[in-house]
Amino acid sequence: MAYWLIKSNPNCFSITDLQRLGTEMWDGVRNYRARNFMRDDMKVGDTAFFYHSSAKPSGVAGIVTIATAGYPDPTQFHPEHRHYDPKATEDTPRWYMVDVRFERAFDDILPLSTLKFLPALEDSLLLRKGCEQLTILPLELKHWYAIMDLVALSEQADDDVDN
């Protein structure tokens, strides 16, 4: 199993939207590196953090599971769709997508401003210059556990305040 971080602007699609739907297509990705991750590397059962980008605050909002392996994104073929690509054909698709399934939303967003100071993430693509615009990032197991440890601490602190 591999670990990922997938980004979405919550004004377009949020963890709450996915929670309501259960499973949804992760379509509209128009970056070749992210496309390659979905097409070649993401597998059914992989786990990903759902990250709210361009938000106040931006950060990790929950967890999803990859529900399907990569397949051609149908939006690339429809001229009326905002993700249409005139160079893509059914025989030679350019863009791929996966379906994601909701697993859980965190009580609070784990903000990027906190993640930036986590030593275990200093070598992650999430914090690497030039990778800020990638909507899909692979994570190493140590990155996954470092973020999950912060989530657990945050939720424990919330429980302590409530009691």
Side-chain angles (χ1 to χ4, degrees):
M1 174 168 61
Y3 297 92
W4 304 91
L5 184 138
I6 60 175
K7 297 179 183 179
S8 179
N9 182 326
N11 293 324
C12 297
F13 191 76
S14 70
I15 189 75
T16 305
D17 296 323
L18 183 58
Q19 184 174 14
R20 181 176 36 80
L21 295 167
T23 300
E24 186 61 27
M25 302 179 301
W26 200 261
D27 64 348
V29 174
R30 296 299 184 262
N31 172 284
Y32 286 108
R33 190 169 182 192
R35 183 247 358 231
N36 293 348
F37 289 142
M38 288 190 291
R39 185 190 65 196
D40 303 333
D41 301 318
M42 287 182 140
K43 306 291 184 235
V44 173
D46 286 356
T47 306
F49 287 119
F50 191 113
Y51 183 96
H52 283 175
S53 62
S54 302
K56 302 249 188 264
S58 292
V60 179
I63 298 175
V64 302
T65 299
I66 306 306
T68 64
Y71 62 96
D73 181 340
T75 65
Q76 68 190 306
F77 306 123
H78 302 292
E80 70 284 354
H81 199 281
R82 68 186 179 108
H83 295 301
Y84 173 64
D85 185 335
K87 294 181 181 175
T89 68
E90 300 272 346
D91 292 332
T92 56
R94 294 178 64 169
W95 305 110
Y96 282 72
M97 58 187 252
V98 296
D99 295 343
V100 296
R101 182 177 55 249
F102 175 82
E103 294 297 332
R104 73 178 276 217
F106 298 145
D107 295 340
D108 299 304
I109 299 288
L110 185 57
L112 178 61
S113 59
T114 299
L115 298 173
K116 285 181 177 181
F117 293 101
L118 194 61
L121 294 180
E122 62 189 21
D123 64 341
S124 71
L125 289 179
L126 177 62
L127 303 182
R128 187 173 299 160
K129 280 220 180 287
C131 293
E132 303 90 0
Q133 298 303 315
L134 281 177
T135 55
I136 296 174
L137 302 167
L139 294 175
E140 293 179 29
L141 189 58
K142 68 178 182 173
H143 303 143
W144 181 268
Y145 282 123
I147 294 170
M148 286 304 296
D149 287 346
L150 274 181
V151 169
L153 285 172
S154 173
E155 290 177 349
Q156 180 62 46
D158 287 348
D159 287 346
D160 291 346
V161 168
D162 292 340
N163 295 327

